[in-house]
Amino acid sequence: MANRINKIISTKANTLYAMKNLIKKASIEEMYILRVEDFWRNKNQVCTEIMEKFGGCRIVVRSSSTQEDCMKSSNAGHYKSVLNVNATNEKDVKNALITVLSSYEENAFNKNEILVQPMLFNVISSGVVFSCDIDTLSPYYIVNYDKSSDTCSVTDGRG
């Protein structure tokens, strides 16, 4: 079982991708998963792909580091995400990608990813689920949520 879980839980992007077809009572927004090395190899092509996939809407450019949301640590709020990016503007898309990339540590730089998704509006509740108590490591499911429209209040490590 641990091996199966380790294959699902690797980065934020890969975890969401693996869960996309497993969950039945919720949905995961459309995703563009970008490997850091692919961005540096061809920035313009990456921006074009993102603009084609999400053109006409606002996007969120999210960190998806190997050092966050993993079995060993959460690191919530440690890396940057950029909200409300205009997906029709190449400069805005490129700047958001570079902002997220610049928040990663140098030693794991090329192993990291970036997750791009549509920006959600009119949110009524958001949160995170933990598979153990973060203080005692006891095996309980813990749900932290906020009933406001602030999608970052729980997920960015502020509280």
Side-chain angles (χ1 to χ4, degrees):
M1 180 68 164
N3 243 358
R4 184 170 177 234
I5 290 172
N6 286 337
K7 287 181 182 176
I8 292 175
I9 300 174
S10 58
T11 63
K12 182 186 304 174
N14 287 330
T15 300
L16 288 172
Y17 183 80
M19 293 180 68
K20 193 164 179 70
N21 294 321
L22 297 175
I23 59 174
K24 305 295 182 209
K25 304 241 182 209
S27 62
I28 295 173
E29 289 295 321
E30 190 68 32
M31 293 181 279
Y32 181 93
I33 301 171
L34 169 63
R35 295 181 321 168
V36 169
E37 60 191 276
D38 292 339
F39 177 75
W40 293 121
R41 193 174 296 127
N42 195 340
K43 296 175 202 162
N44 293 334
Q45 176 64 34
V46 166
C47 289
T48 298
E49 289 174 7
I50 291 170
M51 291 168 63
E52 287 174 359
K53 185 172 185 90
F54 300 105
C57 71
R58 296 286 178 155
I59 57 175
V60 57
V61 179
R62 304 175 68 193
S63 62
S64 184
S65 168
T66 57
Q67 304 301 308
E68 67 181 339
D69 297 337
C70 59
M71 297 298 282
K72 295 178 184 174
S73 64
S74 158
N75 277 326
H78 187 76
Y79 304 103
K80 297 218 183 278
S81 290
V82 182
L83 306 176
N84 207 16
V85 177
N86 181 355
T88 62
N89 185 307
E90 183 175 359
K91 183 178 178 186
D92 289 352
V93 172
K94 191 178 291 185
N95 286 342
L97 293 168
I98 290 171
T99 296
V100 173
L101 288 170
S102 67
S103 70
Y104 292 152
E105 280 89 14
E106 197 72 34
N107 60 348
F109 196 75
N110 282 329
K111 295 178 183 174
N112 290 315
E113 299 168 334
I114 293 177
L115 172 61
V116 181
Q117 292 182 287
M119 181 74 189
L120 294 179
F121 297 96
N122 303 317
V123 173
I124 57 171
S125 173
S126 64
V128 295
V129 177
F130 296 94
S131 57
C132 69
D133 181 291
I134 58 175
D135 295 322
T136 66
L137 300 181
S138 298
Y140 300 106
Y141 288 110
I142 308 289
V143 179
N144 290 341
Y145 66 96
D146 184 346
K147 288 186 175 183
S148 78
S149 62
D150 182 359
T151 59
C152 297
S153 64
V154 176
T155 61
D156 71 359
R158 283 186 276 163

